[in-house]
Amino acid sequence: MVAGAVPDASGRALLLSLRRMNRIRAISPGDNALVAEAGVILSHVHEAAAAAGLRFPLSLGAKGSATIGGLISTNAGGTQVLRFGPMRALLLGIEAVLPDGTIFEGLSPLRKDNRGYDLRQLFCGAEGTLGVVTAATLRLVPALRQRVVAWVGLDSPQAALDLLRRLDQRLGESVEAFELVPLVALQLVLHHIPGTRAPLAADCPWQVLVECGSSVDGEDLATRLAAALATEMQAGRVVDAVIASSEAQANALWHVRENISEAERHDGMAAKHDISVPVSDMPRFVIEAAAAVEARFPGVRAIAFGHLGDGNVHFNVRAPIGLDSRDWLACEGEGITAFVDDLVVAAGGSLSAEHGIGQIKAAEFVRISDPARLAMVRAIKQAIDPLGIMNPGKVLPLASGPAIP
Ligand code: 2HG
Ligand code: ZN
């Protein structure tokens, strides 16, 4: 998404694969924790946790290939962030090799550790710029006993957020995912991804996928979610809704959601923005920013989808119909991105909610960040990697590059 793992064009970069460090070193039900090496694939962590009656609650579409080291280095989000947080919130300990070869051994599964700075978190989201993560201690939670997935049609993003807050009240902490799907994103999926079907009969302009989960047997989450949605429909706040009646149906709903990005790619190149603003402000942002960008760059088509519950949407801007999207992006991409990012800054948001900075966002990160933030980022990089040998040009642009003002 941000070319964080792609070497620069100097021809002097060395790629390091940790695929063969693929052991789960330990699992400790007493600590609700597991120690995995960096090359372990996410679905193997899921399986190991399940075998112990537990769950590692971070998941994403690429779980069959994504590795723990990468998930830590990018502070991966995924589909259950709403309830359990991103990787950062699930990281109990870390082992990493520093640029000078020192091994930082911090795998102990301590729940409380107040020795000043939180060093393990430095490596999370660092995109490999401070050292090489070789293993991690991950937090586990009780296994999932019930899972319910629903698809809901609404009139506006504000109605969607209002629904989330009412579900919070009625269903306690069980809401695990709340994903916004505008009609145009759904139409792209139906058009480009074979075998997909519209979840609802009505063409609602805004739709959401809701997932609830519980580690307790017998409280019948599906009945409670159905009752909550029925109340919302009677009150006229929800237009239409469907609850998956089988695991296969639930997976089919997720399949639609998880293929938006792929469907959009089939449709051409887009100026992509993985942005966050305070959750309460996202409904306004989605509408106003789309109108602003479409007014400023006539013909473009803005689309905002994704993790509404986390205050994070993918605000992607597509080419005007009839233009070659690659040429258009080369000409207009930078201007559009600067325009969108300025709106994000004005809303107190972030230009990277979950995809990181990598190379693609590095210059923009420098352009829009306040001096105090940049000074600290540079000081940390300089202190731990003074020679600048770890994933150069990521997070901070290369000093020789055109990006540093
Ligand atoms: C998603 O939420 C991914 O589907 C991809 O983060 C977002 O392609 C994108 O912009
Ligand atoms: Zn996403």
Side-chain angles (χ1 to χ4, degrees):
M1 290 292 171
V2 289
V6 180
D8 63 37
S10 69
R12 297 178 58 222
L14 189 136
L15 282 172
L16 179 64
S17 168
L18 278 78
R19 285 247 166 220
R20 282 157 59 198
M21 289 193 73
N22 60 3
R23 265 189 329 125
I24 295 193
R25 289 191 196 160
I27 179 154
S28 170
D31 291 311
N32 270 341
L34 164 160
V35 180
E37 293 182 344
V40 176
I41 287 171
L42 179 57
S43 42
H44 294 168
V45 171
H46 291 158
E47 287 157 19
L54 295 165
R55 172 186 185 203
F56 180 58
L58 185 147
S59 193
L60 33 73
K63 58 180 176 283
S65 58
T67 58
I68 292 304
L71 294 162
I72 291 169
S73 292
T74 56
N75 181 27
T79 46
Q80 264 76 33
V81 173
L82 186 57
R83 182 164 179 205
F84 297 102
M87 182 53 115
R88 220 180 258 303
L90 298 166
L91 193 59
L92 291 177
I94 211 152
E95 176 191 271
V97 181
L98 304 184
D100 68 359
T102 310
I103 299 176
F104 172 65
E105 302 200 38
L107 285 176
S108 179
L110 300 178
R111 296 289 163 153
K112 297 181 83 170
D113 179 9
N114 219 353
R115 287 175 281 179
Y117 311 128
D118 191 341
L119 297 177
R120 79 202 141 154
Q121 292 294 358
L122 269 185
F123 294 91
C124 188
E127 304 182 14
T129 60
L130 299 180
V132 180
V133 174
T134 50
T137 306
L138 304 174
R139 180 164 81 92
L140 304 177
V141 299
L144 200 58
R145 301 260 177 253
Q146 298 183 62
R147 169 182 183 241
V148 193
V149 178
W151 196 281
V152 184
L154 302 128
D155 285 331
S156 67
Q158 186 62 55
L161 183 57
D162 293 346
L163 171 66
L164 172 61
R165 291 301 174 238
R166 271 191 292 273
L167 292 180
D168 282 345
Q169 305 250 318
R170 286 192 63 154
L171 302 172
E173 292 206 89
S174 66
V175 183
E176 297 206 349
F178 198 85
E179 298 284 314
L180 183 70
V181 182
L183 182 60
V184 6
L186 174 64
Q187 286 165 340
L188 280 175
V189 172
L190 300 178
H191 185 72
H192 290 290
I193 309 295
T196 49
R197 284 189 21 211
L200 303 175
D203 270 349
C204 300
W206 297 92
Q207 311 194 3
V208 293
L209 179 153
V210 186
E211 173 161 316
C212 298
S214 169
S215 59
V216 183
D217 272 327
E219 63 170 1
D220 201 11
L221 211 48
T223 311
R224 289 174 57 204
L225 180 60
L229 289 173
T231 308
E232 294 304 302
M233 278 177 81
Q234 274 152 19
R237 295 188 289 252
V238 155
V239 180
D240 198 1
V242 59
I243 294 186
S245 59
S246 66
E247 199 64 5
Q249 267 183 26
N251 292 341
L253 295 178
W254 267 115
H255 186 67
V256 169
R257 160 62 189 96
E258 283 177 343
N259 272 290
I260 297 175
S261 183
E262 180 72 16
E264 194 187 69
R265 222 180 342 265
H266 282 293
D267 216 63
M269 311 267 291
K272 282 171 164 287
H273 311 97
D274 158 43
I275 57 116
S276 59
V277 300
V279 181
S280 60
D281 195 28
M282 190 53 98
R284 175 202 68 81
F285 185 90
V286 159
I287 301 288
E288 289 185 12
V293 80
E294 286 172 0
R296 170 70 183 74
F297 301 92
V300 302
R301 296 160 296 156
I303 171 171
F305 67 90
H307 325 287
L308 178 66
D310 309 328
N312 166 208
V313 296
H314 301 296
F315 189 91
N316 297 341
V317 181
R318 293 184 299 142
I321 292 167
L323 293 192
D324 180 287
S325 65
R326 188 173 289 273
D327 295 346
W328 164 81
L329 192 62
C331 279
E332 300 274 7
E334 224 170 283
I336 291 174
T337 292
F339 184 82
V340 171
D341 288 343
D342 288 346
L343 295 176
V344 170
V345 171
S350 164
L351 85 163
S352 180
E354 61 172 3
H355 293 166
I357 300 292
Q359 305 177 55
I360 292 177
K361 301 282 172 191
E364 209 32 18
F365 175 55
V366 170
R367 185 183 75 83
I368 64 174
S369 295
D370 67 278
R373 174 182 295 271
L374 278 180
M376 282 196 282
V377 170
R378 289 194 171 116
I380 291 168
K381 172 72 174 171
Q382 178 63 29
I384 297 177
D385 180 22
L387 301 177
I389 59 172
M390 302 307 305
N391 211 5
K394 315 299 158 46
V395 180
L396 289 169
L398 285 174
S400 58
I404 293 204

